[in-house]
Amino acid sequence: MRPTVSSWGRLLMALLLHCLVALQVCGRAGAFTLLSPFSYSSLSFKNLLNSVLLSSNANLAGGGRNLKSDVLEDASLITPKLIRKYGYPSETHTVVTKDGYILEMHRIPKKGAQPVLLMHGILDTSATWVLMGPKSGLGECFDLATLMVNQKENSTYIPGYMLSDLGYDVWMGNSRGNRYSKNHTSLNSDYQEFWDFTFHEMGKYDLPANIDYILSKTGYEQLHYIGHSQGTAIFWVLCSEQPAYTQKITSMHALAPIAYIHDMKSPLFRTLVLFLDFLTAATRMLRITEFMPNTKFLVDHSQVVCHDNAMTQDVCSNILFLVAGYNSEQLNKTMLPVMLSHTPSGASIKQLEHFGQLMKSGHFRKFDRGYLRNQLEYNRMTPPDYDLSRVKVPVALYYSVNDLLVSTTGVDRLARELPNVIDKYLVPMERFNHLDFLWAIDVKPLVYNRLVRNVRRVENHRAKLTANLANYLAMQLQRQHIRQQMQQQMMEGLPPNVHLPHGLGMEMIAAATPPPPLPTTTTPATPTTAPTSATTEDALLDEEDALTTSTSSPAESTA
């Protein structure tokens, strides 16, 4: 049935309210007060927006009778409640950084299990790892073999739940400035000083605090790290600034890795960078410090405007495509209210400025404070580059062609500068975008199965190394004991009658030396439009068999 004139009027009103949301988001930042007439703190204006928005979309959606209650509920739940809703245990932990920021971490506990730390990207939160919910039929996937059997059909499976089912102790961090980490020991988030940070401080202070807390709580000496977008950049910063922390990481898995973004393809961000200096000056003059905070208005608006029956749903999906890249076939539009209720969730304006500097300079380096302040801060006119050669941990890179924020050439350059890349994986789907690494319908067969294999590879390699080292030390101790016996007999004038036991010769000790480094694996250069489940998994199985027998040193990866 065609919409009536009245319906079209309400639709135009809903689109107008989208614009008001944008104004509201900007108006929340810092001490910016020019948009105060549209402030959501006004109860009457709030009620007006809600009533008009709800009535317009209720009409367009047939009264809203078909809204899925689970989707609306998930859009309103915070991360711990979201986890508990789906039958998983949940814990909330707080960590204080050296510079006073109070960070909240969410945990799906598994007592005695290997810890894994998941770090989100910019404007995101810990909810991104669990908001899509565990897929029915995969909730009892407790072993790698079962995980590999489940293929493309109904294959969405979110890493928070997946890793827990595989027996890992899952920790999900929240970077300073998002909705879960907006507290400080002495500063209020309304103060401009609170927002004086970039992703550099996240790598320098937030990650060390999170890692130390997790290892202290679990009793482990190392953990696995999985990061998405900005969550990868702060890891490079950590290793560059505090290389001792590489000893606390078993492996690092970088989804859509950020470092060299000079040739970022996003038309939106490339346009903004052209006016970076002007925008920086304007935000400082207007004292705008926070970008796109998570508000109740935004949550309510997303639930109503982005649901399945709303004529405005395509507006919501196109917002994501504009930022991340177009891929409608992998977007579960039913979950749009959940996605856009949890994200965006706030960031510092200075974070965006730092990323803009990286785009302009072509370097992966520290924040540019201007010539004079650079001289005082860095003892040089330009900021220094981060030293990627210090990232000694095994690193796996996962990237795609259609990612508007991460280019393939940028990943190629990053892979050349990292000293220990064990996998450089180009997702075999042409339209796979930046956010598909988190929320794509087929993300499990396309990415997560490969990620779990790499985690297992590193663990198996470490186990072999530890076993061989233990054997080597035991043999050395036994040889030393035999030498002492022989020397004692010679001192007593007796002929030495102690002989090395069978199999304790030098050839046996040589066999007990540590195994060679993990070989680097690569993916085909030409991605396909969609994965073929059997082909993808067979290729991975063949590759794994080859890796277990390989003794060659890592080759330079190409994609």
Side-chain angles (χ1 to χ4, degrees):
M1 183 178 69
R2 296 180 61 186
T4 63
V5 174
S6 176
S7 296
W8 282 115
R10 286 190 171 92
L11 174 59
L12 291 175
M13 177 62 73
L15 294 176
L16 174 62
L17 293 176
H18 272 85
C19 298
L20 293 179
V21 171
L23 295 175
Q24 164 65 22
V25 167
C26 295
R28 273 293 303 271
F32 189 34
T33 58
L34 292 180
L35 298 178
S36 58
F38 301 107
S39 174
Y40 190 53
S41 61
S42 169
L43 184 60
S44 60
F45 185 68
K46 161 187 167 182
N47 292 335
L48 172 64
L49 290 182
N50 283 340
S51 61
V52 174
L53 193 58
L54 287 168
S55 64
S56 63
N57 278 277
N59 181 280
L60 295 172
R65 291 185 297 273
N66 296 322
L67 292 180
K68 295 187 177 180
S69 59
D70 274 351
V71 171
L72 297 182
E73 182 182 13
D74 289 1
S76 303
L77 294 176
I78 60 174
T79 302
K81 292 183 178 180
L82 196 59
I83 295 170
R84 286 194 291 271
K85 174 185 173 181
Y86 289 102
Y88 288 78
S90 174
E91 295 178 0
T92 299
H93 299 259
T94 55
V95 181
V96 181
T97 66
K98 287 185 177 180
D99 57 346
Y101 285 83
I102 301 173
L103 313 176
E104 188 169 305
M105 280 197 294
H106 299 131
R107 181 189 187 188
I108 305 177
K110 188 80 67 173
K111 187 175 180 181
Q114 168 71 51
V116 181
L117 174 59
L118 311 179
M119 282 303 301
H120 59 80
I122 192 169
L123 294 173
D124 214 344
T125 71
S126 58
T128 199
W129 305 107
V130 296
L131 62 82
M132 298 297 282
K135 194 69 178 180
S136 61
L138 293 179
E140 296 183 356
C141 174
F142 287 96
D143 59 86
L144 185 60
T146 308
L147 178 67
M148 294 306 180
V149 168
N150 293 284
Q151 296 295 329
K152 180 179 177 180
E153 186 176 359
N154 296 326
S155 61
T156 300
Y157 205 52
I158 294 304
Y161 300 122
M162 181 184 74
L163 291 169
S164 178
D165 287 347
L166 288 171
Y168 291 96
D169 187 6
V170 181
W171 296 74
M172 294 163 284
N174 287 287
S175 295
R176 62 181 66 192
N178 78 10
R179 65 181 294 191
Y180 297 109
S181 298
K182 294 182 72 171
N183 292 311
H184 192 278
T185 54
S186 61
L187 298 174
N188 190 291
S189 61
D190 292 332
Y191 296 167
Q192 191 171 3
E193 292 79 4
F194 178 91
W195 298 98
D196 186 21
F197 60 80
T198 76
F199 63 82
H200 174 84
E201 284 74 22
M202 296 175 185
K204 185 177 180 180
Y205 299 113
D206 293 6
L207 276 191
N210 286 335
I211 292 171
D212 288 341
Y213 182 89
I214 293 170
L215 298 182
S216 173
K217 251 328 188 185
T218 62
Y220 274 78
E221 295 182 354
Q222 292 183 322
L223 54 79
H224 291 287
Y225 183 95
I226 301 173
H228 174 251
S229 191
Q230 179 187 258
T232 67
I234 64 178
F235 185 84
W236 316 138
V237 173
L238 168 68
C239 295
S240 175
E241 296 296 294
Q242 303 187 59
Y245 273 86
T246 59
Q247 301 299 317
K248 301 182 180 183
I249 307 297
T250 304
S251 67
M252 192 282 187
H253 303 267
L255 305 173
I258 292 282
Y260 297 107
I261 56 176
H262 176 67
D263 52 356
M264 179 188 292
K265 294 178 289 187
S266 170
L268 174 64
F269 287 103
R270 292 195 71 84
T271 302
L272 291 176
V273 165
L274 294 176
F275 304 98
L276 180 63
D277 294 337
F278 168 77
L279 293 174
T280 299
T283 55
R284 289 177 181 171
M285 179 181 67
L286 298 172
R287 301 184 66 192
I288 301 174
T289 53
E290 184 180 10
F291 181 72
M292 299 191 76
N294 187 276
T295 64
K296 188 178 185 302
F297 179 85
L298 195 61
V299 172
D300 294 343
H301 178 268
S302 300
Q303 291 179 22
V304 176
V305 176
C306 301
H307 66 74
D308 277 339
N309 297 322
M311 293 182 65
T312 50
Q313 188 185 61
D314 286 342
V315 176
C316 302
S317 59
N318 286 328
I319 290 173
L320 294 180
F321 295 151
L322 178 65
V323 174
Y326 183 81
N327 190 12
S328 61
E329 65 184 75
Q330 287 295 315
L331 176 64
N332 184 348
K333 289 187 178 182
T334 298
M335 296 298 290
L336 277 171
V338 183
M339 299 174 191
L340 295 177
S341 292
H342 289 277
T343 304
S345 196
S348 165
I349 288 290
K350 200 171 178 180
Q351 282 175 253
L352 302 179
E353 185 182 350
H354 196 172
F355 281 118
Q357 291 177 0
L358 301 186
M359 286 184 64
K360 289 187 68 174
S361 68
H363 292 261
F364 181 57
R365 63 188 187 184
K366 297 182 181 181
F367 188 76
D368 191 343
R369 304 177 183 277
Y371 293 132
L372 294 179
R373 292 191 63 186
N374 285 344
Q375 190 66 43
L376 294 174
E377 179 78 16
Y378 310 125
N379 199 30
R380 49 185 290 171
M381 299 293 283
T382 57
D385 290 1
Y386 292 110
D387 188 358
L388 294 176
S389 67
R390 293 183 172 183
V391 187
K392 304 291 187 182
V393 302
V395 173
L397 305 173
Y398 310 83
Y399 65 114
S400 62
V401 172
N402 191 41
D403 190 335
L404 294 186
L405 304 181
V406 179
S407 68
T408 56
T409 55
V411 176
D412 289 340
R413 181 178 174 186
L414 174 64
R416 288 194 299 269
E417 297 192 16
L418 292 172
N420 193 7
V421 176
I422 62 169
D423 192 11
K424 181 165 171 280
Y425 175 60
L426 179 64
V427 177
M429 175 178 281
E430 289 181 357
R431 289 189 173 182
F432 203 85
N433 68 34
H434 193 74
L435 294 176
D436 285 340
F437 286 96
L438 301 170
W439 304 331
I441 293 173
D442 292 314
V443 67
K444 188 184 82 69
L446 284 169
V447 178
Y448 294 157
N449 286 355
R450 178 96 173 201
L451 187 152
V452 170
R453 281 187 172 276
N454 284 329
V455 169
R456 298 298 202 203
R457 284 178 59 206
V458 174
E459 290 178 342
N460 291 338
H461 182 79
R462 290 293 180 95
K464 290 178 182 178
L465 188 149
T466 301
N468 287 352
L469 184 60
N471 290 338
Y472 176 80
L473 293 176
M475 290 179 183
Q476 288 289 75
L477 288 174
Q478 189 171 357
R479 288 178 63 88
Q480 183 178 3
H481 177 69
I482 291 173
R483 288 195 189 97
Q484 290 175 348
Q485 285 184 318
M486 294 174 66
Q487 290 175 356
Q488 182 67 27
Q489 291 174 356
M490 293 176 65
M491 291 177 62
E492 294 175 357
L494 300 173
N497 57 4
V498 179
H499 301 284
L500 289 176
H502 178 70
L504 200 62
M506 292 305 297
E507 65 280 357
M508 192 64 184
I509 293 178
T513 55
L518 280 170
T520 302
T521 60
T522 58
T523 55
T526 305
T528 57
T529 56
T532 303
S533 300
T535 303
T536 302
E537 297 305 329
D538 289 345
L540 286 174
L541 288 170
D542 293 342
E543 175 190 276
E544 185 70 12
D545 293 338
L547 289 173
T548 55
T549 57
S550 173
T551 57
S552 60
S553 59
E556 181 178 356
S557 57
T558 57

